[in-house]
Amino acid sequence: MEAQAYRGYCLENVAAHYDVVLICGAEPTWEREFLLDWVVADPADQAALSAAGRTLAERYPLAGVMTWTEWYLVPVARLARQLGLPTTAPESLQGCRNKNTSRVLFARHGVPSAASVSVRDQSEAAQAAQRIGYPVVLKPASHAASIGVIRVNAPDELPGAYAFAAQAAGQGVENTRVLVEEYLDGPEVSVECVTYRGQTTVVAVTRKTVGMPPFFEELAHAVDANDPLLATVAPVAVAALDALGVTDGVSHVEMRLVDGRPHLIEVNARLAGDMIGHLVHLATGVDLARAAADIACGHAPDLTPTRSQAAAIRLIYPAYSGALTSRHIDAEFAARADWLERVRFQRQAGDQLVLPPQGDMFSARIGYLITTGPTAAIAQTRVQEAYRNLDIQVAPHP
């Protein structure tokens, strides 16, 4: 359900231009209408993925291999290399996946970033935090979706915060370390980039709203085709991708503006989540999902903007953990709001909703709203108006 809610548009857009065969961990359901064929195998298991890839290569003349799933980046790149298909080097993608490696490469190439120390236990974390200076951020070295990321304001908060971050880090396959990092104080943005044969084009900048401190849950995003911030963030995003050796693909580069200057958080060498690629399409006309497929097949992507507007998304969370009893949007409002591009509920009545620290985005989100407008400010005002017309009922846990 979650995959369809947030990645369905990607598969639909790619299938509109290519015949798609899929390697997936379970029998496909909603995906079937977009597929020519599939093989069930665990994409995180390199041997299983390679065997499935060889099976499909025997059935079809494969032109490219791609993924938009963070945890599959390195195995899929290895598969592409085994099949002789275009890819960023697996070693470079390992550098993207390991945030400590990323920080080292950013420092080596002069890309502004946060001070960061990789630690093995709580004692090392406390020492690192003392050297960096509070507040600090603790995070798993190899994870995604802000899972296990927490702000620590003072030494007495560190033991609980370290346990929270370490628990998430322990689930990692590539790296189980925790990072202690300088807290970058400023607005958060992401830069949506397309790299083809080593040349990067910055397509859009996404203004992000994060909340639920001390956690970093992503609550809203907005993309404006005419965002003046593009000129400021583009050179730093390109420098970060170059530092990591990303040569081909769509990337989602996260940063914060500290006193107006960009500082890197991380590089995600895949299409952004949270429907950001769809926001970019609505705002600019550039189809990042198709661009990713084109590049995977060795073709230059068409990045010509065909629209000049804005789009915004508001992610729907409960006020507290509990059982969802009802969720709907006022039908009369939705019918007259022609700028309300879509309303999507991913949870049903009876579902349990669990907020951090016990839960995360996968256990807490109810759905999202997307709106359009001539500017980001108008699209954001509209998404807030739509949010006010929601009726969400949650029975708190006893």
Side-chain angles (χ1 to χ4, degrees), residues 315-349:
L315 300 150
I316 306 168
Y317 283 85
Y320 43 79
S321 297
L324 181 65
T325 57
S326 69
R327 82 290 183 274
H328 66 270
I329 189 166
D330 181 89
E332 185 179 332
F333 165 79
R336 70 172 185 269
D338 58 356
W339 38 260
L340 181 60
E341 197 268 341
R342 71 180 65 188
V343 180
R344 182 65 188 256
F345 295 113
Q346 65 202 69
R347 299 289 181 182
Q348 308 299 322

Coordinates of all heavy atoms in Angstrom, one line a residue, residues 315-349:
L315 N 2.0 16.1 4.4 CA 1.9 14.7 4.9 C 1.0 14.7 6.1 O 1.2 15.5 7.0 CB 3.3 14.2 5.1 CG 4.1 14.2 3.8 CD1 5.6 14.4 4.1 CD2 3.9 13.0 3.0
I316 N 0.1 13.7 6.2 CA -0.9 13.7 7.3 C -0.4 12.8 8.4 O -0.3 11.6 8.2 CB -2.3 13.3 6.7 CG1 -2.7 14.1 5.5 CG2 -3.3 13.3 7.8 CD1 -3.9 13.6 4.8
Y317 N -0.2 13.3 9.6 CA 0.1 12.6 10.8 C -1.0 12.7 11.8 O -1.6 13.8 11.9 CB 1.4 13.1 11.4 CG 2.7 12.6 10.6 CD1 3.1 13.3 9.5 CD2 3.4 11.5 11.1 CE1 4.3 12.9 8.9 CE2 4.6 11.1 10.4 CZ 5.0 11.8 9.3 OH 6.2 11.5 8.7
P318 N -1.1 11.8 12.7 CA -2.0 12.0 13.8 C -1.4 12.9 14.9 O -0.2 13.1 14.9 CB -2.2 10.6 14.4 CG -0.9 9.9 14.1 CD -0.5 10.5 12.8
A319 N -2.2 13.5 15.8 CA -1.7 14.3 16.8 C -1.1 13.4 17.9 O -0.2 13.9 18.7 CB -2.8 15.2 17.4
Y320 N -1.5 12.2 18.0 CA -1.0 11.2 19.0 C -1.2 9.8 18.5 O -1.9 9.6 17.5 CB -1.7 11.4 20.4 CG -3.2 11.6 20.2 CD1 -4.0 10.5 20.0 CD2 -3.8 12.8 20.3 CE1 -5.4 10.6 19.8 CE2 -5.2 13.0 20.1 CZ -6.0 11.9 19.9 OH -7.3 12.0 19.7
S321 N -0.4 8.9 19.1 CA -0.5 7.5 18.7 C -1.9 6.9 19.1 O -2.5 7.3 20.1 CB 0.6 6.7 19.3 OG 1.8 7.1 18.8
G322 N -2.4 6.0 18.2 CA -3.7 5.4 18.6 C -4.2 4.6 17.4 O -3.5 4.4 16.3
A323 N -5.5 4.2 17.5 CA -6.2 3.5 16.4 C -6.9 4.5 15.5 O -7.7 5.3 16.1 CB -7.1 2.5 17.0
L324 N -6.7 4.5 14.2 CA -7.4 5.4 13.3 C -8.9 4.9 13.2 O -9.2 3.7 12.9 CB -6.8 5.3 11.9 CG -7.4 6.2 10.8 CD1 -7.3 7.6 11.2 CD2 -6.8 5.9 9.5
T325 N -9.8 5.8 13.5 CA -11.2 5.4 13.5 C -11.9 5.9 12.3 O -12.9 5.3 11.7 CB -12.0 5.9 14.8 OG1 -11.8 7.3 14.9 CG2 -11.4 5.2 16.0
S326 N -11.5 7.1 11.7 CA -12.1 7.6 10.5 C -11.1 8.6 9.9 O -10.4 9.3 10.6 CB -13.5 8.2 10.7 OG -13.4 9.4 11.5
R327 N -11.2 8.7 8.5 CA -10.4 9.8 7.9 C -11.1 10.1 6.5 O -11.4 9.2 5.8 CB -9.0 9.3 7.7 CG -8.6 8.4 6.5 CD -9.1 7.0 6.6 NE -8.7 6.2 5.5 CZ -9.4 6.1 4.3 NH1 -10.4 6.8 4.1 NH2 -8.9 5.3 3.4
H328 N -11.4 11.4 6.4 CA -12.0 11.8 5.1 C -11.8 13.3 4.9 O -11.4 14.0 5.9 CB -13.4 11.4 5.0 CG -14.3 12.1 5.9 ND1 -14.6 11.7 7.2 CD2 -15.0 13.3 5.8 CE1 -15.5 12.5 7.8 NE2 -15.7 13.5 7.0
I329 N -12.0 13.8 3.7 CA -11.9 15.2 3.4 C -13.3 15.7 3.1 O -14.1 14.9 2.5 CB -10.9 15.5 2.3 CG1 -10.7 17.0 2.2 CG2 -11.3 14.9 1.0 CD1 -9.4 17.4 1.4
D330 N -13.6 16.9 3.4 CA -14.9 17.4 3.1 C -15.2 17.3 1.6 O -14.5 17.9 0.8 CB -15.0 18.9 3.6 CG -16.4 19.5 3.3 OD1 -17.3 19.4 4.2 OD2 -16.5 20.1 2.3
A331 N -16.2 16.6 1.2 CA -16.4 16.3 -0.2 C -16.8 17.6 -1.0 O -16.3 17.8 -2.1 CB -17.6 15.3 -0.3
E332 N -17.6 18.5 -0.4 CA -17.9 19.7 -1.0 C -16.7 20.6 -1.3 O -16.6 21.1 -2.4 CB -19.0 20.5 -0.2 CG -19.5 21.7 -0.9 CD -20.6 22.4 0.0 OE1 -21.2 21.7 0.8 OE2 -20.7 23.7 -0.1
F333 N -15.9 20.7 -0.3 CA -14.6 21.4 -0.5 C -13.8 20.8 -1.6 O -13.3 21.5 -2.5 CB -13.8 21.4 0.8 CG -12.4 21.9 0.7 CD1 -12.1 23.2 0.5 CD2 -11.4 20.9 0.6 CE1 -10.7 23.6 0.3 CE2 -10.1 21.3 0.4 CZ -9.8 22.7 0.3
A334 N -13.6 19.5 -1.6 CA -12.7 18.9 -2.6 C -13.3 19.1 -4.0 O -12.5 19.2 -4.9 CB -12.6 17.4 -2.2
A335 N -14.6 19.1 -4.1 CA -15.2 19.2 -5.4 C -14.9 20.6 -6.0 O -14.8 20.7 -7.2 CB -16.7 18.9 -5.3
R336 N -14.9 21.6 -5.2 CA -14.7 23.0 -5.7 C -13.3 23.4 -5.8 O -13.0 24.4 -6.4 CB -15.6 24.0 -4.9 CG -15.1 24.2 -3.5 CD -15.9 25.4 -2.9 NE -15.4 25.7 -1.6 CZ -15.8 25.2 -0.4 NH1 -16.8 24.3 -0.5 NH2 -15.3 25.6 0.7
A337 N -12.4 22.7 -5.1 CA -11.0 23.1 -5.0 C -10.2 22.5 -6.2 O -9.6 21.4 -6.1 CB -10.3 22.7 -3.7
D338 N -10.3 23.1 -7.4 CA -9.7 22.6 -8.6 C -8.2 22.5 -8.5 O -7.5 21.8 -9.3 CB -10.2 23.3 -9.8 CG -9.8 24.8 -9.8 OD1 -9.3 25.3 -8.8 OD2 -10.1 25.4 -10.8
W339 N -7.6 23.2 -7.6 CA -6.1 23.2 -7.4 C -5.7 22.0 -6.4 O -4.5 21.8 -6.2 CB -5.7 24.5 -6.8 CG -6.6 25.1 -5.8 CD1 -7.5 26.1 -6.0 CD2 -6.7 24.8 -4.4 NE1 -8.2 26.4 -4.9 CE2 -7.7 25.6 -3.9 CE3 -6.1 23.8 -3.6 CZ2 -8.1 25.5 -2.5 CZ3 -6.5 23.7 -2.3 CH2 -7.5 24.6 -1.8
L340 N -6.7 21.3 -5.9 CA -6.4 20.1 -5.1 C -6.1 18.9 -6.0 O -7.0 18.3 -6.5 CB -7.5 19.8 -4.1 CG -7.4 18.6 -3.2 CD1 -6.2 18.8 -2.2 CD2 -8.6 18.4 -2.4
E341 N -4.8 18.7 -6.2 CA -4.4 17.7 -7.3 C -4.7 16.3 -6.9 O -5.1 15.5 -7.7 CB -2.9 17.9 -7.5 CG -2.4 17.3 -8.8 CD -1.9 15.8 -8.7 OE1 -1.6 15.4 -7.5 OE2 -1.9 15.1 -9.7
R342 N -4.5 16.0 -5.6 CA -4.9 14.6 -5.1 C -4.9 14.6 -3.6 O -4.2 15.3 -2.9 CB -4.0 13.5 -5.7 CG -2.6 13.5 -5.2 CD -1.8 12.3 -5.8 NE -1.6 12.6 -7.2 CZ -1.1 11.7 -8.1 NH1 -0.7 10.5 -7.6 NH2 -1.0 11.9 -9.4
V343 N -5.8 13.7 -3.2 CA -5.8 13.3 -1.7 C -5.6 11.8 -1.7 O -6.3 11.0 -2.4 CB -7.2 13.6 -1.1 CG1 -7.3 13.3 0.3 CG2 -7.6 15.1 -1.4
R344 N -4.7 11.4 -0.9 CA -4.4 9.9 -0.8 C -4.3 9.5 0.7 O -3.5 10.1 1.5 CB -3.0 9.6 -1.5 CG -2.6 8.2 -1.5 CD -3.6 7.4 -2.3 NE -3.4 5.9 -2.2 CZ -2.8 5.2 -3.2 NH1 -2.4 5.8 -4.3 NH2 -2.7 3.9 -3.0
F345 N -5.1 8.5 1.0 CA -5.1 7.9 2.4 C -4.4 6.6 2.2 O -4.9 5.7 1.4 CB -6.5 7.8 3.0 CG -7.1 9.1 3.3 CD1 -8.3 9.5 2.5 CD2 -6.6 10.0 4.2 CE1 -8.9 10.7 2.8 CE2 -7.3 11.2 4.5 CZ -8.4 11.6 3.8
Q346 N -3.4 6.3 3.0 CA -2.7 5.0 3.0 C -3.1 4.1 4.2 O -2.6 3.0 4.3 CB -1.2 5.2 2.9 CG -0.6 5.9 4.2 CD 0.7 6.5 3.9 OE1 0.8 7.6 3.2 NE2 1.7 6.0 4.5
R347 N -3.9 4.7 5.0 CA -4.4 3.9 6.2 C -5.9 3.8 6.2 O -6.6 4.7 5.7 CB -3.9 4.6 7.5 CG -2.5 4.8 7.6 CD -1.8 3.5 8.0 NE -0.3 3.7 8.1 CZ 0.5 2.7 8.3 NH1 0.0 1.5 8.4 NH2 1.8 2.9 8.5
Q348 N -6.3 2.7 6.8 CA -7.8 2.4 6.9 C -8.2 2.5 8.3 O -7.4 2.3 9.3 CB -8.1 1.0 6.3 CG -7.5 0.7 4.9 CD -8.1 1.7 3.9 OE1 -9.2 2.0 3.9 NE2 -7.2 2.1 3.0
A349 N -9.5 2.6 8.5 CA -10.1 2.6 9.9 C -9.7 1.3 10.6 O -9.8 0.2 10.0 CB -11.6 2.8 9.8

